[in-house]
């Protein structure tokens, strides 16, 4: 508490400071005050207007003070003049009266007459000894007057005495005068004392002085106001306009362009700089919205124009069509013909689209090989579709590129305002969805957005989100489906098929979530896990003394393109202690046909490790037979659709037969997938197929069930097939036990 008190008291009380201030001269104090004011004001913005008002007020105040001083001086001067005129008159009268006087008493009437005048208050005559002998003021009689001031002066001379302290009734103005008199008839000298009524005279002059003062003040105020107005007009207003102009970056209308004074010059310099800035900004904006290669607008431009068109359509009604055109396999053009050729193709496409556009249509390049078109002058979705297919046809016309003739296919996704969305982002997203669909449908397709596409996209997103969780929480398992050798009836292998039991939705088919995993990149960890688990399981079965079989793992196109696939697989085999001959990879035919050279390299490396390669779904991917010869393949898997048809029509067996013969000619073994009944089995057997996989041989089953199945599978399959047909056509997954039970399992 004590300390607090001390602290509070210490700040305001500064004895040293006070002592110093006390020791300062007035000039030093003024200087210190000015310095303090400067420090206070520094850092505070004070507008020109305030400064001018302050300065003019100061000037006005100083002028008013000067007028006051002048008036006072003038008043004093006038008063003194008036007093002196009257004193000299009185001196003349007294001098004459003294010359004629035979006694001091004879002067009394003169004195009385003088005091009757308005300006003389009192008058007295003192003898040579300085004593007052006759006076109008009875109080003075007999008093002594100091005569020293008059010594040496001649008669009739007037001397101003100021205040005669020892004479009573002294007024406000020092109006005491002494006059030396000679009284020849009495043969003596005397001194007359005059006391003037200065108050009366001052009262007479005061009115005049006030008038002067008033006029001067009015003049000063008027002059200051006039100067203020002029300064405002000539300096303050232009500076303020300049400030507004600068603050708004040249947006304000009135530019203080005045004559060529300093403000005008600054204003012009500012205006030039603003204009230059605006030009640069406009150029940057236009560059930021333009695609350098095709000189079309880019995605930003496209979206902003789309927003404009939407607002216009909101006001005036009408449809707005949004199309996204994508060039088919544009990457191949870049990869095979080089980027210059790719650029040419893009420029050609831009030119074609520009050529096809009608009045208000907007064309932009919104992605590497994607072009956006906004169409406004349409009446229906059909109009938009027609326009889209016209664009696709125009782009797809064959053209020459150097020595080569090229055909660049394209497809379009399109969507309409207002039915599919009311916002630029939504419409672009919908057009994108429609485009994905049209890519799926194949070259030349034009797909109009439908709500199902959106629902499907949402579904995909949900699956992706849940799948991430499932991967993290180990909610995935592997099922195994047996492959059976037709000649011996033995289980020679198993295909590992992934299963996901969703917490709420139950089993989700891999056909549903594998594409999502591929698109999201989740497929990479997923495949690693499948490989690891399949190898671990196979090794475990071998350690349990079960017949040694190969386990097949499906890999996706994404996996196949990864350069680390070989390493991942080799590491997995080492970690799980499985010999490579018991691992097989299933790749689909369509997968190997993309980037053939890269894929062949990867497959060869894998093959050289001793891993078997099987081509899945064979017959659906239009693979070139020439390539087939180059693939280091161990097995071809006839697609289920061919097996399905095999027993039906008259020529259902033709394609399987061709595949089997071809494979055998190339020294590759054949497995038929999706074999569901004995008829199919028999026909395949007749055609010389090596192995079968399908419900007839055994459904995909959990590892534990498969273990039992494998343990009991020494006998031939066909032995049990009769039983399947006899017991139930319905293929049911059940743990198999020997040939008979295997039949019933199917
Ligand atoms: P896939 O590799 O062709 O696998 C065969 C599919 O046919 C499996 O479907 C299997 O359950 C089914 N199937 C087997 N026998 C029959 C039959 O007699 N009749 C019928 N109608 N179908 C039969 P699933 O398990 O639903 O797998 C679908 C596809 O998902 C697989 O086709 C494969 O491409 C992919 N897939 C499954 N597991 C994985 C995996 O671990 N990784 C990758 N990348 N893809 C996988
Ligand atoms: Mg497969
Ligand atoms: Mg298959």
């Amino acid at each position: 508490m004590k300390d607090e008190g001390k602290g509070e008291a210490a700040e305001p009380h500064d004895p040293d400071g006070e002592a110093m201030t006390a020791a300062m001269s007035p000039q030093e104090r003024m200087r210190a005050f000015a310095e303090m004011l400067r420090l206070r004001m520094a850092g505070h913005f004070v507008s020109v207007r305030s400064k001018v008002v302050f300065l003019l007020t100061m000037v006005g105040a100083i002028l008013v003070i000067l007028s006051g001083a002048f008036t006072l001086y003038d008043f004093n001067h006038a008063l003194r003049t008036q007093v002196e005129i009257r004193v000299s008159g009185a001196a003349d009268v007294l001098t004459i009266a003294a010359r004629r006087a035979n006694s001091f008493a004879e002067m009394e009437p003169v004195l009385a007459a003088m005091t009757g005048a308005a300006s003389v208050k009192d008058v007295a005559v003192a003898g040579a000894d300085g004593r007052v002998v006759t006076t109008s003021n009875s109080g003075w009689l007999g008093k002594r007057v100091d005569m020293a001031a008059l010594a040496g002066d001649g008669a009739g001379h007037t001397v101003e005495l100021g205040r005669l302290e020892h004479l009573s009734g002294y007024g406000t103005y020092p109006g005491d005068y002494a006059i030396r008199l000679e009284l020849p008839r009495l043969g003596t000298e005397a001194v007359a004392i005059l006391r003037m009524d200065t108050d009366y005279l001052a009262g007479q002059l005061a009115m005049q002085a006030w008038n002067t003062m008033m006029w001067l003040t009015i003049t000063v105020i008027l002059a200051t106001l006039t100067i203020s107005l002029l300064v405002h007009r000539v300096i303050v207003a232009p500076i303020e306009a300049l400030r507004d102009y600068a603050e708004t970056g040249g947006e304000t209308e009135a530019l203080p362009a005045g004559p060529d004074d300093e403000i005008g010059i600054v204003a012009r310099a500012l205006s030039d700089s603003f204009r230059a800035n605006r030009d640069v900004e406009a150029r940057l904006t236009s560059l930021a919205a333009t695609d350098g290669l095709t000189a079309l607008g880019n995605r930003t431009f496209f979206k902003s124009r789309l927003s404009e068109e939407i607002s216009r359509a909101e006001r005036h009604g009408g449809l707005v069509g949004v199309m996204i055109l994508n060039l088919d396999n544009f990457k191949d053009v870049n990869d095979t013909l080089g980027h210059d050729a790719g650029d040419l193709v893009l420029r050609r496409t831009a030119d074609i689209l520009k050529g096809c556009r009608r009045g208000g249509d907007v064309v932009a390049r919104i992605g590497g090989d994607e072009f956006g078109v906004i169409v406004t002058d349409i009446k229906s979705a059909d109009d938009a579709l027609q326009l889209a297919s016209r664009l696709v046809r125009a782009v797809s016309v064959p053209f020459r590129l150097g020595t080569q003739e090229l055909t660049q296919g394209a497809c379009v996704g399109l969507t309409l305002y207002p039915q599919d969305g009311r916002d630029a982002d939504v419409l672009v997203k919908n057009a994108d969805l429609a485009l994905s669909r049209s890519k799926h449908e194949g070259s030349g397709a034009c797909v109009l957005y439908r709500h199902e596409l959106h629902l499907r996209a949402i579904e995909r997103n949900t699956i992706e989100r849940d799948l991430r969780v499932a991967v993290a929480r180990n909610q995935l398992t592997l099922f195994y489906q047996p492959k059976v050798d037709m000649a011996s009836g033995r289980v020679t292998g198993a295909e590992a098929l992934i299963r996901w039991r969703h917490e709420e939705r139950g089993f989700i088919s891999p056909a549903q979530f594998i594409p999502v995993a591929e698109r999201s990149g989740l497929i990479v960890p997923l495949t690693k896990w499948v490989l690891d688990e399949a190898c671990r399981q196979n090794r475990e079965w071998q350690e349990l003394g079960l017949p040694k079989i190969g386990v097949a793992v499906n890999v996706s196109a994404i996996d196949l393109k990864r350069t680390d696939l070989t390493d991942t697989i080799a590491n997995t085999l080492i970690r799980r202690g499985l010999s490579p001959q018991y691992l097989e990879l299933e790749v689909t035919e369509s997968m190997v046909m993309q980037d053939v050279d890269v894929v062949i390299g990867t497959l060869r490396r894998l093959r050289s490790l001793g891993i078997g390669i099987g081509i899945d779904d064979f017959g659906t991917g239009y693979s070139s037979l020439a390539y087939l010869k180059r693939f280091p393949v161990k097995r071809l898997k006839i697609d289920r659709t061919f097996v399905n048809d095999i027993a039906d029509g008259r020529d259902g067996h033709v394609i399987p037969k061709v595949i089997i013969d071809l494979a055998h000619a190339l020294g590759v073994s054949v497995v038929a997938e999706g074999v569901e009944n004995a008829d199919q089995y028999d026909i395949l057997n007749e055609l010389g197929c090596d192995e079968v996989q399908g419900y007839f041989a055994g459904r995909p089953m959990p590892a534990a069930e498969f273990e039992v199945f494998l343990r009991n599978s020494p006998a031939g399959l066909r032995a049990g097939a009769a039983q399947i047909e006899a017991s139930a056509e319905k293929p049911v997954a059940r743990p198999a036990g020997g040939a008979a039970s295997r039949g019933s399992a199917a």
Side-chain angles (χ1 to χ4, degrees):
M1 287 297 278
K2 251 186 182 177
D3 281 347
E4 266 175 39
K6 248 191 204 169
E8 271 168 30
E11 206 182 310
H13 184 71
D14 180 5
D16 289 352
E18 268 177 23
M20 258 170 65
T21 321
M24 276 180 183
S25 70
Q27 283 108 321
E28 281 170 338
R29 269 189 214 182
M30 276 299 284
R31 239 175 277 138
F33 176 73
E35 180 64 8
M36 189 197 75
L37 205 65
R38 196 184 64 74
L39 288 176
R40 282 267 160 94
M41 296 309 285
H44 289 276
F45 170 75
V46 181
S47 62
V48 173
R49 179 182 288 266
S50 314
K51 282 180 189 161
V52 167
V53 167
F54 176 75
L55 274 178
L56 287 175
T57 311
M58 292 285 284
V59 168
I62 289 170
L63 285 179
V64 168
I65 290 168
L66 285 179
S67 326
F70 169 75
T71 313
L72 203 64
Y73 168 79
D74 184 52
F75 171 78
N76 277 339
H77 182 73
L79 185 59
R80 183 176 296 276
T81 312
Q82 287 297 318
V83 169
E84 276 168 6
I85 288 169
R86 280 170 175 72
V87 167
S88 99
D92 289 348
V93 171
L94 282 170
T95 309
I96 293 167
R99 270 197 211 125
R100 290 186 187 157
N102 296 315
S103 70
F104 283 115
E106 274 180 28
M107 290 187 75
E108 261 174 40
V110 178
L111 298 192
M114 281 177 83
T115 46
S119 53
V120 179
K121 221 176 192 176
D122 288 311
V123 60
V125 176
D129 59 351
R131 251 178 226 287
V132 173
V133 282
T134 176
T135 174
S136 62
N137 187 330
S138 54
W140 291 0
L141 207 58
K143 295 220 166 136
R144 279 186 76 86
V145 178
D146 181 12
M147 295 278 92
L150 288 171
D153 275 313
H157 188 79
T158 312
V159 176
E160 193 184 343
L161 293 175
R163 292 171 64 171
L164 281 176
E165 292 282 359
H166 42 279
L167 296 179
S168 62
Y170 171 70
T172 52
Y173 185 79
D176 291 344
Y177 289 84
I179 306 150
R180 203 176 181 92
L181 300 176
E182 279 176 357
L183 290 92
R185 294 194 185 166
L186 286 178
T188 183
E189 284 190 344
V191 171
I193 306 293
L194 266 180
R195 172 153 290 177
M196 302 304 292
D197 191 351
T198 49
D199 289 348
Y200 168 76
L201 285 173
Q204 295 255 299
L205 291 172
M207 204 54 210
Q208 201 183 327
W210 273 119
N211 272 348
T212 313
M213 177 73 191
M214 199 180 71
W215 281 115
L216 277 176
T217 310
I218 289 174
T219 312
V220 164
I221 291 174
L222 283 179
T224 313
L225 281 179
T226 312
I227 293 173
S228 300
L229 284 176
L230 279 174
V231 169
H232 178 264
R233 214 182 154 69
V234 177
I235 300 173
V236 177
I239 289 182
E240 285 182 345
L242 187 67
R243 180 202 58 202
D244 292 348
Y245 186 69
E247 271 177 0
T248 55
E251 293 298 318
T252 42
E253 280 288 302
L255 173 70
D260 274 350
D261 58 5
E262 288 86 339
I263 295 175
I265 292 168
V266 172
R268 250 204 324 282
L270 267 181
S271 150
D272 289 349
S273 128
F274 287 149
R275 197 173 316 115
N277 273 355
R278 269 197 294 271
D279 288 352
V280 169
E281 265 168 33
R283 216 169 319 130
L284 283 178
T285 315
S286 118
L287 275 180
T290 310
D291 167 52
L293 180 69
T294 58
L296 288 176
N298 60 15
R299 198 176 184 90
T300 320
F301 165 82
F302 185 71
K303 281 207 179 160
S304 83
R305 283 304 311 271
L306 182 54
S307 302
E308 284 170 21
E309 292 303 338
I310 290 172
S311 330
R312 190 165 309 151
E314 256 167 21
R315 286 195 303 275
H316 307 297
L319 290 179
V320 179
V322 181
M323 303 181 189
I324 300 182
L325 178 141
N326 181 276
L327 298 178
D328 298 340
N329 305 322
F330 179 68
K331 192 174 168 297
D332 292 349
V333 177
N334 271 337
D335 289 349
T336 52
L337 302 175
H339 285 261
D340 288 343
D343 288 353
L344 281 175
V345 170
L346 288 172
R347 267 191 229 124
R348 169 187 173 266
T349 312
D351 290 343
I352 291 174
L353 295 182
K354 273 192 265 183
C356 291
R357 105 180 119 184
R358 303 151 318 149
D361 297 351
V362 177
V363 178
R365 181 175 170 219
I366 60 175
D369 58 351
E370 274 184 7
F371 294 83
V373 183
I374 304 171
V375 287
T376 45
D377 191 16
I378 46 167
K379 302 266 174 300
S380 65
D382 277 347
D383 285 358
L385 274 169
Q386 269 175 22
L387 193 74
S389 43
R390 221 177 69 217
L391 295 181
V392 169
R393 277 199 308 276
V395 170
S396 309
V397 169
F399 62 102
R400 290 204 78 78
L401 194 75
T403 54
Q404 282 189 312
E405 179 156 296
L406 283 186
T407 305
Q408 176 62 64
C411 44
V412 172
L414 62 107
T415 188
L416 295 175
Y417 165 91
Q419 59 232 49
D420 300 335
R422 295 176 162 270
D423 164 69
D425 284 327
V426 172
L427 287 169
V428 170
K429 198 187 78 202
N430 290 348
D432 257 330
L433 279 175
L435 179 67
S436 311
R437 185 66 225 161
S438 76
K439 281 182 192 166
H440 202 75
E441 287 187 5
S443 186
C446 299
V447 172
L448 186 65
Y449 168 82
R450 295 183 312 274
H451 190 57
E452 302 90 85
L453 297 176
H454 176 64
L455 295 183
R456 217 176 291 166
I458 291 181
E459 166 80 354
R460 271 201 304 269
N461 281 347
T462 316
I463 289 185
E464 184 188 329
R465 193 191 58 212
D466 294 354
L467 187 58
R468 281 185 196 279
V469 177
V471 171
R473 293 192 188 158
N474 259 331
Q475 287 172 348
L476 301 164
T477 48
L478 286 186
F479 273 33
Y480 298 88
Q481 187 177 31
K483 285 180 198 170
V484 175
D485 178 61
M486 292 194 103
S488 63
R490 285 177 197 283
V491 176
T492 50
E495 178 172 10
L497 294 162
I498 196 162
R499 292 291 176 267
W500 173 21
R501 189 199 284 276
H502 191 279
E503 280 168 343
E504 289 152 21
R505 301 162 62 173
F507 273 116
I508 297 183
S509 157
Q512 225 178 322
F513 70 82
I514 292 291
V516 177
E518 285 178 338
R519 200 174 303 190
S520 63
L522 258 179
I523 192 72
V524 177
L526 212 70
T527 302
K528 271 190 188 158
W529 176 80
V530 173
L531 272 168
D532 187 71
E533 176 58 15
C535 291
R536 185 199 64 75
Q537 186 61 66
N538 200 11
R539 172 73 196 176
E540 190 183 306
W541 286 329
Q542 291 184 359
E543 281 171 358
L544 289 172
L546 293 170
K548 290 191 173 179
I549 57 163
V551 66
V553 167
N554 292 285
V555 291
S556 77
I558 313 269
D559 299 314
L560 209 57
K561 280 183 197 148
R562 286 180 67 93
T563 46
D564 60 352
L565 181 68
T566 323
D567 290 348
T568 307
I569 292 175
N571 288 339
T572 309
L573 288 171
I574 294 166
R575 189 171 57 249
R576 293 302 178 190
L578 185 74
S579 163
Q581 78 211 64
Y582 300 115
L583 177 66
E584 190 173 311
L585 299 183
E586 287 192 10
V587 295
T588 64
E589 193 187 1
S590 48
M591 260 154 63
V592 290
M593 291 314 292
Q594 309 166 5
D595 281 336
V596 179
D597 294 328
V598 180
V599 170
I600 288 180
T602 310
L603 293 183
R604 285 206 175 133
R605 273 196 302 282
L606 289 167
R607 192 77 190 97
S608 66
L609 285 178
I611 295 161
I613 309 287
I615 296 197
D616 210 348
D617 306 340
F618 190 81
T620 55
Y622 318 103
S623 54
S624 149
L625 297 180
Y627 281 130
L628 198 59
K629 229 172 84 185
R630 290 171 60 201
F631 288 140
V633 175
K634 184 178 171 192
R635 218 183 297 275
L636 284 189
K637 240 179 159 180
I638 304 178
D639 190 66
R640 200 164 57 220
T641 49
F642 302 118
V643 175
N644 208 25
D645 294 345
I646 205 166
D648 290 354
R650 275 172 295 121
D651 50 5
H653 63 284
V654 173
I655 294 175
K657 178 159 174 46
V658 171
I659 294 176
I660 292 167
D661 291 347
L662 171 77
H664 287 167
L666 291 169
V668 172
S669 77
V670 184
V671 55
E673 67 176 4
V675 179
E676 291 183 354
N677 56 51
D679 287 349
Q680 292 168 346
Y681 180 90
D682 287 340
I683 296 170
L684 285 163
N685 201 9
E686 267 171 40
L687 294 176
C689 184
D690 305 296
E691 290 166 313
V692 286
Q693 182 186 345
Y695 296 164
F696 182 65
R699 286 203 166 218
M701 53 194 104
E705 267 179 45
F706 187 84
E707 188 185 319
V708 179
F709 185 94
L710 188 57
R711 218 179 270 287
N712 302 325
S713 72
L717 180 66
R718 194 65 191 92
Q723 276 188 6
I724 320 162
E725 280 146 35
S727 59
E729 264 295 290
K730 273 190 286 172
V732 185
R734 234 177 283 158
S741 58
R742 230 179 294 130
S744 60

